[in-house]
Amino acid sequence: MTAGGPGVPEPERDEKGGVRTALAGLTTRGRSFLAAGIAAAVCAYVLGQGDLLRVGLLLAVLPLVCATVLYRTRYRVAGSRRLSPARVPAGSEARVHLRMDNVSRLPTGLLMLQDRVPYVLGPRPRFVLDRVEAGGRREVSYRVRSDLRGRYPLGPLQLRLTDPFGMCELTRSFSTFDTLTVIPRVEALSPVRLSGEAKGYGDGRNRSLALAGEDDVIPRGYRYGDDLRRVHWRSTARYGELMVRREEQPQRARCTVLLDTRGIAFAGQGPDSAFEWAVSGAASVLVHMLERGFSVRLLTDTGNSVPGEGADGFAGASQESADAAGLMMDTLAVIDHSDGAGLSRAYDLLRGGNEGMLVAFFGDLDEEQAAIVARMRQRSGGALAFVLDSDGWVREPTDVPGPENEQEERLRMLRDAGWTVLGVPRGASLNQLWQQADRERNGITAAGLGEGWG
């Protein structure tokens, strides 16, 4: 079977290697026939039975002939794979579509199709394709699902060709791979009013001169090189000199999402661990802020951010918003624990300028790290922190709770510094905590009121 289509290798050309390949492809039935034929031939020679010798030769030659014919078969088959979708949230299913085209002038025999997938995505799919006519096409599909985020290779696709007697089976592999990206779960957040972002952004609304009325225009004196189309004639007549409209660029509210990835700050593993909740929470806030039109920046305790991200982060409410969300989700899909012990690198980046809103997801904080986090508040217009007690996440519900005075002291320290901070219990809903933070931020105690964060 020869190659057709991208990435399909040609079969071996070396004759000795071809013989070994053909013999290695003998099935259990073929090996049994070969062994029985050799045994019958030996017995016929010892006993002097000519008829038994002919039977033995027939039994031994049949699998060899099948292997030779199968190896010499020259089918040209092209294969392709399509993922729908190629990026899927953890716990959701994706469908993989396989397409096989017979590009030769001869029909194929029975084909067995197999795709290699990581064990976390499910069992290895196998399909049996009937005779494919010349120029014909066959399409099959299967589903994959993973509760663990990450990037998983799919492939190579393998074809198994067998003879009509089932004596031999040969395998040919395509060389192309595809990648399925399993991103963190994203929880929809309630649209509440954003307050406390960086100065100049109002309540998160963009302001530009084009949206202002004629009476809101603030003119200035004409300067050499100014565009004459910007001349404000009413002010020119009023002041007796040439006046032009001021250039005012729209300002976009900014938001920095800080994710604590320190390995020492989180205990436990698996899709229900505290770290996975924090990653999913960061993804949810990023998507929510992009949809609200914010310039969003993702930052970790190591100081790393998304490759290709600008100084102000990715802009939302634009044509690039979906691509920005995809890049951030791809980054969060493979993010893992860091070896760092502190949050000083993230603090160094935050204190360089006004970061707008700051939404942070922290693991366990000792006194030193809590002090660093408290100082982060100084350079943000509004600061919201979700602090996860990893011991509470790994402790069974039937266990006696441990002392929480130390955790409460850390939360109190952040509140005193101006943070809106919430402890995250095991299995908590991010949207409910988001609404609770909004009520605390705005001093609202009545449950169910949705005004405040964004």
Side-chain angles (χ1 to χ4, degrees):
M1 181 175 59
T2 60
V8 186
E10 294 284 345
E12 297 86 347
R13 296 300 184 185
D14 182 69
E15 292 298 330
K16 294 182 179 180
V19 173
R20 288 194 297 267
T21 301
L23 293 179
L26 291 176
T27 62
T28 302
R29 178 184 299 178
R31 295 176 187 274
S32 300
F33 267 67
L34 181 60
I38 294 176
V42 172
C43 292
Y45 176 77
V46 173
L47 300 177
Q49 298 292 328
D51 294 337
L52 183 59
L53 179 61
R54 286 190 289 271
V55 172
L57 291 177
L58 177 62
L59 293 177
V61 169
L62 180 60
L64 297 178
V65 172
C66 290
T68 302
V69 173
L70 189 63
Y71 180 76
R72 294 294 182 180
T73 302
R74 289 296 181 264
Y75 297 142
R76 297 186 66 246
V77 180
S80 62
R81 182 190 298 103
R82 178 173 59 87
L83 304 181
S84 177
R87 185 186 291 117
V88 62
S92 301
E93 290 185 345
R95 183 167 290 275
V96 183
H97 301 268
L98 303 177
R99 170 177 163 179
M100 303 302 303
D101 294 278
N102 182 12
V103 296
S104 66
R105 298 181 179 180
L106 299 176
T108 69
L110 188 67
L111 298 177
M112 288 181 288
L113 186 64
Q114 176 178 278
D115 205 9
R116 289 186 178 181
V117 300
Y119 72 94
V120 296
L121 297 182
R124 181 171 296 183
R126 294 181 175 88
F127 304 93
V128 177
L129 304 181
D130 294 332
R131 177 178 177 273
V132 182
E133 65 278 5
R137 175 190 305 169
R138 296 291 184 272
E139 294 184 2
V140 294
S141 64
Y142 63 93
R143 294 177 296 180
V144 291
R145 179 181 183 274
S146 175
D147 292 327
L148 299 175
R149 56 186 175 80
R151 294 174 62 88
Y152 301 101
L154 300 178
L157 188 63
Q158 292 181 331
L159 279 178
R160 291 186 178 181
L161 184 64
T162 184
D163 65 280
F165 300 102
M167 298 289 181
C168 185
E169 183 179 276
L170 296 181
T171 302
R172 292 289 182 265
S173 296
F174 292 76
S175 59
T176 55
F177 290 82
D178 287 282
T179 301
L180 175 68
T181 302
V182 181
I183 62 176
R185 295 183 180 92
V186 175
E187 184 175 350
L189 301 181
S190 299
V192 292
R193 188 187 72 247
L194 290 171
S195 60
E197 58 269 17
K199 296 179 180 179
Y201 299 126
D203 286 333
R205 297 184 296 268
N206 297 339
R207 176 177 174 85
S208 66
L209 191 62
L211 299 179
E214 185 70 15
D215 294 336
D216 297 328
V217 174
I218 303 177
R220 62 168 175 82
Y222 175 81
R223 298 173 185 171
Y224 179 77
D226 285 339
D227 191 346
L228 292 178
R229 289 175 296 181
R230 292 170 48 206
V231 173
H232 192 251
W233 297 108
R234 179 179 297 182
S235 298
T236 299
R238 181 177 181 180
Y239 292 101
E241 60 176 316
L242 201 58
M243 305 292 290
V244 297
R245 303 173 189 268
R246 289 182 183 271
E247 287 284 355
E248 184 175 335
Q249 299 297 329
Q251 293 180 329
R252 186 181 299 278
R254 291 187 293 174
C255 176
T256 297
V257 177
L258 174 59
L259 176 62
D260 183 7
T261 63
R262 295 172 299 140
I264 61 175
F266 296 92
Q269 296 179 347
D272 297 327
S273 64
F275 181 68
E276 292 301 321
W277 192 97
V279 174
S280 177
S284 302
V285 173
L286 288 170
V287 172
H288 179 74
M289 291 302 183
L290 280 174
E291 292 176 348
R292 300 289 291 175
F294 276 65
S295 292
V296 181
R297 179 188 184 193
L298 174 62
L299 189 65
T300 67
D301 58 288
T302 60
N304 296 328
S305 58
V306 182
E309 187 179 60
D312 294 333
F314 290 106
S318 63
Q319 296 181 353
E320 293 80 15
S321 179
D323 295 336
L327 288 174
M328 291 184 177
M329 292 300 104
D330 289 344
T331 300
L332 291 176
V334 297
I335 201 167
D336 202 354
H337 291 296
S338 67
D339 297 330
L343 300 166
S344 57
R345 290 187 180 179
Y347 172 72
D348 292 338
L349 292 177
L350 287 174
R351 69 181 182 181
N354 199 326
E355 299 296 334
M357 288 187 58
L358 176 59
V359 182
F361 294 84
F362 296 113
D364 292 331
L365 296 174
D366 56 24
E367 185 175 358
E368 179 183 358
Q369 301 310 316
I372 295 176
V373 173
R375 294 198 300 270
M376 292 180 182
R377 174 65 180 86
Q378 301 172 0
R379 289 292 184 172
S380 63
L384 169 62
F386 298 94
V387 181
L388 292 84
D389 181 9
S390 61
D391 290 338
W393 281 73
V394 299
R395 195 167 48 229
E396 294 296 332
T398 56
D399 293 346
V400 178
E404 299 181 356
N405 294 335
E406 185 175 343
Q407 177 74 4
E408 289 298 328
E409 181 63 26
R410 303 292 181 262
L411 300 183
R412 188 179 303 110
M413 181 184 302
L414 298 185
R415 291 191 184 100
D416 293 341
W419 284 82
T420 300
V421 57
L422 294 175
V424 181
R426 181 177 181 180
S429 168
L430 176 62
N431 186 43
Q432 294 179 0
L433 294 176
W434 183 262
Q435 293 177 344
Q436 180 182 347
D438 167 52
R439 293 191 293 268
E440 292 188 5
R441 177 73 180 179
N442 294 275
I444 300 175
T445 58
L449 294 180
E451 297 181 358
W453 271 92

